[in-house]
Amino acid sequence: MADVTQILCQVESGDSSAAEHLLPLVYEELRRLAAARLAHEKPGQTLQATALVHEAYLRLLGSKGTKQSWNSRGHFFGAAAEAMRRILVENARRRACEKHGGGRDRQEFDPSQIAADEESTDLLALDEALERLVHDDPQSAELVKLRYFAGLTIPQAAEILGISPRQADFMWAFARAWLRRQLDPG
């Protein structure tokens, strides 16, 4: 684990070869997190775990113009969870837009594909509610991102956030209730 933090420091200092050494160390864990998140998607999702990991990794390390800074391994995985969340939301928005069939009834034989449209709407509503939660309670919002989008357990998310698992459990209960109220006001 110290190797990851050390390589992240090298990447931050501008060592371009360090990024090549980072991917093999974090790839399996990122892929596991992506697969766990995609397992919660309804059938018909066209995005694969490998593609999600690659896109998130490119967003984290691929842009030359922006300087990335990570304090630790946990901070890096938190940033990866955020990148995965944004990619999934962008994908849901793309599926919901008019150009890609949003607003039109699909006339396909595969019922699992129809379920993906409902997931797009649910994911967009969740994203909007999550943005509101960021303003009310940023740490709870970060916990939701780590749990829902990165697939981390309460103890794993608590470690990344630097809080106790008990506190994370209380925050998780609060965030779930808050989001449920936002998503279903009736």
Side-chain angles (χ1 to χ4, degrees):
M1 286 193 206
D3 294 336
V4 172
T5 306
Q6 200 171 26
I7 291 174
L8 288 171
C9 289
Q10 292 172 352
V11 168
E12 184 178 334
S13 67
D15 184 0
S16 59
S17 65
E20 295 173 14
H21 298 342
L22 179 63
L23 184 59
L25 292 175
V26 298
Y27 183 78
E28 281 306 314
E29 191 165 353
L30 286 175
R31 192 168 187 305
R32 184 180 49 77
L33 294 175
R37 175 56 198 118
L38 288 172
H40 296 291
E41 296 286 321
K42 291 189 178 180
Q45 174 63 263
T46 58
L47 193 60
Q48 300 292 322
T50 303
L52 183 57
V53 168
H54 290 189
E55 181 68 24
Y57 190 80
L58 285 175
R59 288 187 184 193
L60 290 171
L61 296 174
S63 56
K64 300 279 186 203
T66 59
K67 182 174 171 126
Q68 299 293 340
S69 173
W70 295 287
N71 299 336
S72 64
R73 178 182 181 279
H75 187 214
F76 174 78
F77 280 100
E82 176 66 16
M84 287 182 198
R85 178 183 77 88
R86 289 176 187 232
I87 291 165
L88 289 169
V89 167
E90 288 169 8
N91 195 28
R93 281 191 179 129
R94 184 188 57 77
R95 285 193 318 252
C97 75
E98 188 70 32
K99 182 177 180 181
H100 293 280
R104 294 187 205 135
D105 291 333
R106 294 186 182 258
Q107 301 295 319
E108 297 180 13
F109 295 113
D110 185 7
S112 64
Q113 184 65 34
I114 295 170
D117 287 339
E118 295 166 4
E119 177 67 18
S120 299
T121 305
D122 294 345
L123 189 58
L124 292 176
L126 174 63
D127 183 57
E128 290 171 8
L130 197 52
E131 290 300 322
R132 289 190 299 270
L133 181 60
V134 167
H135 295 293
D136 288 354
D137 189 350
Q139 196 170 33
S140 290
E142 188 62 29
L143 177 67
V144 170
K145 292 174 189 176
L146 292 171
R147 294 271 295 138
Y148 188 78
F149 291 98
L152 298 181
T153 63
I154 292 281
Q156 291 169 332
E159 181 182 341
I160 288 174
L161 293 173
I163 59 176
S164 71
R166 185 176 174 99
Q167 183 180 358
D169 198 33
F170 286 125
M171 289 171 55
W172 177 242
F174 163 76
R176 282 189 0 228
W178 191 94
L179 288 170
R180 187 174 295 125
R181 197 172 317 121
Q182 294 292 312
L183 295 173
D184 186 22

